[in-house]
């Protein structure tokens, strides 16, 4: 798609035209370091704007679906508390930039929903991509040949780099992808942005004031669109923190928060952190101030104290981590385990599973290996649902059939089922143990101890049952009360927990081969930002773990 030269000037480059200078005058930037209440500040500003403007005159966008949903939630809560009973903002005023573009363009079929069809037609370029309109950068896992090329194509498009400067194989993918989209009447996520930039002078609803959250992770293409739409607004408020720019791999640049240079009265820094104690502030500032290009910020610590310590655990030998996690648990503290890449967490996850220690990642709920203890409202349920259902049956003489179905499907056929039991489980709502099992098993459930019932269950699991129920059962053996509770331990990549926090945070410094190349090339500041985000998740204690033997590691001990 051809973009007007005037439009391309609004990414993060210099603004030289009169129109651009006027835009700079109405643009305001708010820098929100970690834990400084950025979302709260945005909500208070939205409330103030709502006193002056109609709800449809306010435009709000955020980089991620999660952040947009948080704003929607807070807006809805404020609306419920509004004495007038009216809504603070219409739903169409809030969303990711892709969602706003989708609304503006209208009835569009997304190409990302049909990637299997593209892969069949072009097997040498096969790709797998997400079809979540509000989370277009969350690619599904897989080894399809074209995934990396697809990501690179969209990165180059997001950076608005002329196609003739692309690598030849990316140009070939783009040609095939574009021809396939056109022949099938489809548009992809980047098409939404490019079409809106080319065809729409104003944002949906023609708003008067705009708020842009998580701005540091927007691409030049997204900024070009926002700043084009901002020409027709009274003002636009850009909120973010270039020190927390993590998505350079999709084309985001901290320069978007730094340029064009604005008058000092158009800049504001939120200085009081409600999360970080002094020790962690000092560690983080010592790291981030080494970044070459940034806006200087003074952060006021939440409190004195805090702790930055060193740990012996590594991703390849994590067992010393277990004792520290148990100490956190004993103190009632939440814990967070972070690494730069998902595969680095596998030995730690294996250790936690073998030790019966519960964990999750509430920021990436669909990531199965990080959330093995999910509870479901669906009839089939999850592994945890099955174990909880077994305990519910074991504690009662009259069984609820819905519970019994959840755990008996993992019990061997020769474990004592009587003739007609399957029919009863399909037709009845309540049954007695004697209506499902033979007299010996029924007597065990009626008169046996809790340990005897659990031992019978574990001994009679099918191979699939052992595989799926082993972890929740190991947790139940340690402390049954912990099963079904929200785990205190969060595990994930640094990218996955952005915006999150925990009392105690464990950061592993191992780098992937790609990160090592960046470290020795031009990506050192990118890695500094990454580990700055990791360390600033900690509310009380930050533990800098050890590098694995033979693996390049980022120097956390600055």
């Amino acid at each position: 798609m051809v973009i007007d030269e005037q439009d391309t000037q609004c990414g993060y480059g210099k603004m030289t035209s009169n129109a651009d200078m006027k835009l700079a005058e109405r643009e305001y930037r708010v820098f929100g370091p970690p834990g400084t209440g950025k979302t709260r500040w945005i909500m208070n500003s939205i409330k103030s704007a709502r006193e002056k403007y109609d709800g449809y005159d306010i435009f709000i966008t955020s980089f991620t679906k999660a952040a947009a949903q948080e704003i929607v939630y807070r807006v809805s809560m404020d609306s419920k508390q509004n004495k007038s009973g009216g809504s603070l903002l219409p739903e169409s005023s809030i969303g990711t930039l892709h969602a706003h573009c989708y609304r503006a363009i209208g009835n569009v079929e997304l190409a990302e929903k049909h990637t299997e069809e593209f892969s069949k037609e072009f097997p040498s370029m096969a790709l797998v991509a997400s079809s979540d309109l509000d989370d277009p950068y969350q690619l599904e896992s897989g080894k399809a040949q074209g995934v990396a090329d697809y990501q690179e194509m969209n990165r180059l498009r997001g950076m608005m780099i002329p196609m003739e400067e692309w690598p030849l194989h990316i140009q070939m993918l783009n040609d095939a992808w574009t021809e396939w989209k056109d022949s099938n009447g489809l548009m992809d996520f980047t098409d939404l942005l490019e079409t809106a930039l080319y065809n729409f002078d104003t944002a949906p609803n023609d708003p008067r004031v705009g708020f842009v959250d998580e701005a540091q992770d927007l691409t030049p293409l997204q900024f070009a669109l926002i700043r084009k739409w901002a020409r027709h607004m009274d003002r636009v408020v850009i909120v973010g923190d270039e020190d927390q720019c993590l998505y350079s791999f999709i084309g985001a640049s901290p320069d978007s928060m730094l340029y064009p240079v604005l008058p000092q009265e158009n800049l504001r820094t939120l200085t009081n952190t409600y999360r970080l104690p002094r020790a962690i502030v000092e560690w983080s500032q010592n790291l981030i101030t080494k970044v070459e290009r940034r806006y200087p910020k003074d952060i006021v610590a939440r409190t004195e104290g805090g702790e930055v310590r060193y740990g012996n655990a590594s991703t390849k030998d994590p067992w010393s981590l277990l004792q520290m996690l148990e100490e956190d648990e004993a103190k009632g503290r939440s814990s967070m385990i972070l690494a730069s890449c998902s595969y680095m967490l596998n030995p730690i996850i294996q250790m936690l599973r073998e030790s019966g220690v519960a964990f999750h990642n509430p920021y990436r709920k669909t990531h199965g290996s990080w959330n093995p203890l999910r509870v479901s409202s669906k009839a089939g349920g999850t592994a945890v649902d099955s174990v909880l259902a077994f305990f519910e049956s074991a504690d009662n003489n009259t069984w609820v059939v819905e519970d019994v179905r959840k755990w008996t499907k993992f019990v061997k056929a020769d474990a004592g089922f009587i003739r007609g039991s399957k029919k009863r489980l399909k037709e009845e709502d309540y049954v007695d143990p004697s209506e499902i099992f033979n007299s010996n098993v029924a007597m065990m459930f009626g008169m046996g101890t809790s340990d005897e019932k659990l031992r019978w269950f574990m001994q009679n699991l099918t191979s699939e049952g052992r595989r799926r129920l082993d972890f929740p059962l190991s947790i139940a053996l340690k402390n049954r009360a912990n099963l079904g509770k929200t785990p205190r331990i969060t595990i994930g990549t640094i990218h996955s927990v952005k915006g999150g926090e925990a009392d105690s945070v464990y950061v592993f410094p191992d780098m992937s081969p790609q990160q090592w190349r960046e470290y020795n090339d031009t990506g050192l500041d990118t890695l500094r930002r990454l580990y700055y985000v990791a360390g600033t998740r900690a509310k009380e204690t930050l533990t800098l773990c050890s590098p694995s033997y033979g693996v390049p590691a980022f120097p956390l001990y600055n």
Side-chain angles (χ1 to χ4, degrees):
M1 176 173 294
V2 178
I3 306 296
D4 289 345
E5 183 177 353
Q6 184 184 24
D7 294 333
T8 66
Q9 293 173 351
C10 295
Y12 56 74
K14 295 180 179 179
M15 291 187 174
T16 57
S17 70
N18 290 334
D20 291 336
M21 295 305 292
K22 289 181 180 179
L23 171 59
E25 291 174 3
R26 65 173 67 98
E27 178 177 321
Y28 295 81
R29 284 189 211 126
V30 178
F31 297 89
T36 53
K38 177 172 58 70
T39 303
R40 184 188 300 112
W41 185 92
I42 291 174
M43 284 306 306
N44 289 336
S45 299
I46 291 171
K47 291 179 193 176
S48 297
R50 187 63 181 84
E51 294 175 1
K52 181 178 179 181
Y53 298 97
D54 182 79
Y56 288 96
D57 287 333
I58 300 174
F59 171 85
I60 303 168
T61 190
S62 184
F63 172 70
T64 62
K65 179 180 179 180
Q69 288 177 331
E70 174 69 11
I71 295 174
V72 169
Y73 171 76
R74 295 201 185 193
V75 166
S76 65
M77 293 301 295
D78 284 340
S79 298
K80 291 178 182 179
Q81 297 170 7
N82 187 355
K83 294 181 180 179
S84 66
S87 176
L88 186 64
L89 290 174
E91 186 175 338
S92 62
S93 291
I94 310 171
T96 62
L97 199 55
H98 291 87
H100 282 299
C101 293
Y102 186 87
R103 296 184 190 119
I105 296 169
N107 188 22
V108 174
E109 182 69 16
L110 292 172
E112 282 83 358
K113 292 182 178 180
H114 302 274
T115 52
E116 288 187 10
E117 300 165 26
F118 174 83
S119 298
K120 290 178 181 178
E121 190 169 342
F122 299 91
S124 64
M125 300 177 181
L127 56 89
V128 181
S130 166
S131 59
D132 187 340
L133 177 67
D134 287 312
D135 244 345
Y137 300 116
Q138 297 301 321
L139 296 183
E140 297 175 10
S141 60
K143 297 183 179 179
Q145 299 177 48
V147 170
D149 290 346
Y150 175 84
Q151 291 176 307
E152 178 63 8
M153 177 184 71
N154 284 321
R155 185 186 73 86
L156 294 169
R157 292 171 70 188
M159 294 182 69
M160 306 179 78
I161 294 175
M163 194 180 305
E164 57 268 21
E165 298 179 18
W166 296 9
L168 182 60
H169 68 288
I170 304 298
Q171 293 186 42
M172 294 174 63
L173 171 61
N174 183 73
D175 290 343
W177 178 247
T178 301
E179 180 182 353
W180 174 79
K181 286 185 300 180
D182 292 344
S183 64
N184 289 279
L186 304 173
M187 295 179 67
D188 65 20
F189 287 120
T190 308
D191 287 332
L192 297 178
L193 301 174
E194 292 174 341
T195 300
L197 177 62
Y198 187 70
N199 292 307
F200 297 96
D201 291 332
T202 64
N205 301 328
D206 192 12
R208 302 280 303 282
V209 61
F211 294 91
V212 182
D213 189 20
E214 296 185 317
Q216 73 280 345
D217 287 319
L218 299 179
T219 65
L221 174 60
Q222 291 171 308
F223 258 101
L225 177 58
I226 288 170
R227 284 174 170 146
K228 178 180 180 179
W229 284 350
R231 293 174 187 157
H232 300 273
M233 300 180 189
D234 295 342
R235 71 179 185 275
V236 61
V237 183
I238 309 294
V239 186
D241 180 11
E242 87 288 355
D243 289 336
Q244 299 184 71
C245 176
L246 296 188
Y247 288 85
S248 59
F249 59 87
I250 65 164
S253 169
D255 288 351
S256 297
M257 287 289 296
L258 302 176
Y259 302 104
V261 176
L262 299 182
Q264 191 62 38
E265 58 267 22
N266 288 30
L267 304 174
R268 175 173 179 177
T269 300
L270 307 178
T271 58
N272 294 318
T273 177
Y274 302 97
R275 178 189 305 156
L276 308 179
R278 180 169 297 281
I280 297 174
V281 167
E282 291 177 352
W283 175 87
S284 64
Q285 290 303 293
N286 189 31
L287 173 62
I288 200 63
T289 52
K290 292 182 173 68
V291 169
E292 182 179 349
R293 268 197 330 275
R294 62 183 297 270
Y295 184 77
K297 311 169 191 71
D298 293 323
I299 301 178
V300 179
R302 170 178 61 85
T303 183
E304 295 294 329
E307 181 183 13
V308 178
R309 62 183 182 179
Y310 306 113
N312 293 324
S314 67
T315 57
K316 292 186 177 181
D317 184 13
W319 284 93
S320 63
L321 174 65
L322 199 58
Q323 181 179 350
M324 292 185 283
L325 293 173
E326 291 173 348
E327 291 172 357
D328 288 339
E329 174 69 22
K331 295 176 183 177
R333 295 169 58 167
S334 58
S335 307
M336 183 178 284
I337 304 168
L338 301 177
S340 62
C341 296
S342 180
Y343 72 86
M344 299 173 183
L345 298 169
N346 292 338
I348 302 172
I349 290 173
Q350 182 178 350
M351 175 196 72
L352 296 175
R353 293 181 70 105
E354 290 177 3
S355 304
V357 177
F359 61 90
H360 72 151
N361 188 316
Y363 312 102
R364 290 289 187 274
K365 293 181 179 180
T366 59
H367 197 297
S369 64
W370 297 344
N371 294 281
L373 299 174
R374 288 174 292 185
V375 176
S376 174
S377 58
K378 296 181 180 179
T382 64
V384 172
D385 294 319
S386 297
V387 174
L388 289 174
F390 169 77
F391 284 123
E392 185 67 25
S393 298
D395 291 342
N396 294 280
N397 292 324
T398 300
W399 288 355
V400 178
V401 168
E402 184 179 352
D403 288 334
V404 179
R405 289 195 200 108
K406 291 179 180 178
W407 60 268
T408 52
K409 64 183 178 182
F410 294 117
V411 175
K412 296 176 182 177
D414 60 357
F417 290 101
I418 62 175
R419 184 182 298 273
S421 59
K422 290 185 178 180
K423 183 178 180 182
R424 292 187 185 92
L425 290 177
K426 289 180 179 179
E427 297 177 351
E428 304 293 334
D429 293 325
Y430 300 94
V431 293
D432 292 328
S434 59
E435 297 177 282
I436 304 299
F437 292 105
N438 63 34
S439 58
N440 290 333
V441 177
M443 183 177 295
M444 182 270 299
F445 272 106
M447 303 180 63
T449 65
S450 296
D451 287 344
E452 288 174 334
K453 297 172 187 178
L454 181 58
R455 190 180 308 114
W456 173 89
F457 183 52
M458 296 178 68
Q459 289 174 347
N460 287 282
L461 287 173
T462 62
S463 57
E464 181 186 4
R466 290 194 299 273
R467 179 179 62 82
R468 293 188 57 185
L469 307 188
D470 177 68
F471 184 39
L473 282 170
S474 67
I475 292 173
L477 286 171
K478 289 186 66 174
N479 187 342
R480 178 175 160 185
N482 286 336
L483 196 64
K485 284 185 177 181
T486 301
R488 287 184 175 274
I489 297 174
T490 296
I491 190 167
T493 60
I494 300 167
H495 285 88
S496 75
V497 300
K498 187 176 179 184
E501 62 182 21
D503 297 321
S504 185
V505 172
Y506 300 86
V507 180
F508 288 87
D510 293 5
M511 292 190 290
S512 68
Q514 173 64 30
Q515 290 169 329
W516 177 239
R517 287 191 292 270
E518 290 179 357
Y519 182 84
N520 288 288
D521 189 13
T522 59
L524 181 54
D525 282 352
T526 299
L527 292 169
R528 285 173 175 149
R529 295 186 192 97
L530 180 68
Y531 287 99
Y532 171 77
V533 168
T536 54
R537 303 307 94 198
K539 296 168 63 178
E540 298 291 344
T541 302
L542 171 61
T543 302
L544 308 176
C545 298
S546 298
S548 297
Y549 179 76
V551 176
F554 184 83
L556 294 175
Y557 319 108
N558 54 72

